[in-house]
Structure formats: structure tokens, C-alpha cells
Amino acid sequence: MDGSQIGTVEWTIKGELILNCNCTVFCPCVVSLGKHPPTEGHCQTWGGVRIDSGQYGDIDLSGLNIGLLIEIPGNMGRGNWKVALFIDDRASDEAFDALVAIFSGAAKGTTGLFQMLVGEFLGAERQPVTYETEGKTRHITVGRKIEGVVHPVGGADGDEDVVITNTQYWMGPDITVATATKGKLRSHGRVWDFDGRSAEICQIDWKGPGR
């Protein structure tokens, strides 16, 4: 991939994203857009992305999965994030580079804000990443780095998820309120376990380089 073209290439990603963080109740960043601090004063998050369809120029990204590690020292909007990226080991070299460009923010568009918010990129590496849905429950594994089980929080109508709609959140406008029954991460010197903590599920429709 020609690095000189980064930031000018048309790209799209459609699929689903889950996050599980250390907040004790639903993440306040969704509604406050990062102005309210996380419930523990700092944010530790692991995430997974299932790409149902996607492309970066003429590079196909469809069917690939991504794992994320995100650490934020205070309010989300103040930046200084630390981020690590785990890319599906089935990705071609070109797709790997394209996904690094997208998730680092260099490709601009929806994830372009990462360039402003991420203070330290801990690196990208290949891992076997699985993202499976069983009923309403999402199961994700990232090698021996992440093991997560996330499901929506029950509402008064058991058939309907609790959803915060029409937000301006960076992931997407509609965020399903969720929690984790397993949320283990062991990577980059971090050992996290967020069983019972806050989680989010979001259908994503991202694109770039414009918004």
C-alpha cells in the first residue's frame, strides 16, 4: 500500500463494535461526549469489531475482526489515550496496513479523531480474533490476550434491548446498553477483569476520508 496516499483513500466499514470498560455502571462518556469522567476516574477498555463489509480503496476488509485495548487517564475528550490494535491474522498484508491506517486515525473520516485523542499508539499485531453472536450474547476472543462475553442489559420488554438513540457518540448514534459476564484482558503489561462492568454494543457505519 502506498503510504503517501493515506488520508486521501476512500474507505468504509460496516458491522458491529462492542466495548467493555471498567465503569461500574453504564459509561457516562456516551451522553456527555467525554466531558464527564469515567465512574472510576480513568478508563480502561477492551473492544472488538466485526467487519461485515468494508473496503479501503480496492482492498477488501470484509469478514475480518479487530481487537482493541484503550486506556484513558481521565475524561475521554481530553485525550492522551493509549491504544493497542489486534488485527485478524487472516488479513492480507495490504488489509493489515489499511486497518492500521483506519484505526490509528491516519485514514481520516469517522476514526480521524483518534489522531487528536491518542497520545501513544502501543502498536498493532496479528492475532486470531473471533467475534461470534449467540442469541443476544457476543463472544470475542483475541488469541490469549482478550476473552469477552457481552450481552444487552434486560429491559421491561424482554424482547427489546435498552438502547440510547440519536446520540452524537463517535461510534454511532444508537448504543445498546450492555454488560459483561466475562471481560478478561492480559496484554501490554495490563491484567484486567471487567466481569459485571459496563459494556456497549453498536452497529457501525464508518467511512472516510470525509465525514
Side-chain angles (χ1 to χ4, degrees):
M1 188 174 69
D2 184 356
S4 66
Q5 301 299 314
I6 293 177
T8 65
V9 177
E10 296 282 338
W11 65 270
T12 62
I13 286 180
K14 294 183 180 181
E16 185 175 88
L17 182 149
I18 60 172
L19 295 176
N20 173 212
C21 67
N22 63 322
C23 283
T24 52
V25 294
F26 185 64
C27 170
C29 299
V30 172
V31 176
S32 74
L33 302 180
K35 295 177 183 177
H36 191 286
T39 67
E40 307 307 286
H42 64 282
C43 174
Q44 298 170 324
T45 299
W46 66 264
V49 178
R50 186 191 72 225
I51 302 175
D52 296 331
S53 63
Q55 42 75 220
Y56 179 91
D58 59 2
I59 300 168
D60 187 19
L61 307 176
S62 304
L64 299 176
N65 300 313
I66 304 293
L68 295 164
L69 177 162
I70 304 172
E71 194 169 56
I72 306 172
N75 291 31
M76 182 181 77
R78 292 179 184 169
N80 202 25
W81 299 15
K82 295 180 180 179
V83 173
L85 186 60
F86 307 102
I87 295 177
D88 200 317
D89 60 5
R90 298 172 300 146
S92 67
D93 290 344
E94 288 183 325
F96 181 97
D97 291 344
L99 288 165
V100 170
I102 290 170
F103 281 88
S104 69
K108 300 184 180 178
T110 305
T111 53
L113 79 167
F114 287 0
Q115 282 197 304
M116 296 180 290
L117 295 174
V118 176
E120 183 179 355
F121 185 56
L122 302 175
E125 61 185 79
R126 293 181 180 275
Q127 288 288 335
V129 185
T130 64
Y131 188 127
E132 299 173 342
T133 300
E134 182 181 358
K136 292 188 175 185
T137 302
R138 279 70 169 177
H139 301 262
I140 184 168
T141 60
V142 180
R144 297 185 176 181
K145 309 284 186 179
I146 299 173
E147 187 177 5
V149 180
V150 170
H151 60 86
V153 169
D157 181 343
D159 294 328
E160 297 290 333
D161 295 337
V162 178
V163 181
I164 299 178
T165 63
N166 194 35
T167 76
Q168 297 183 52
Y169 198 46
W170 70 271
M171 283 165 42
D174 303 321
I175 309 296
T176 299
V177 179
T179 190
T181 51
K182 183 175 289 184
K184 298 182 184 296
L185 178 144
R186 184 184 294 268
S187 185
H188 293 79
R190 284 110 172 131
V191 180
W192 298 341
D193 186 352
F194 300 148
D195 177 5
R197 300 277 176 143
S198 175
E200 306 165 24
I201 303 171
C202 180
Q203 307 307 309
I204 59 174
D205 185 359
W206 298 349
K207 61 181 181 298
R211 298 196 66 182

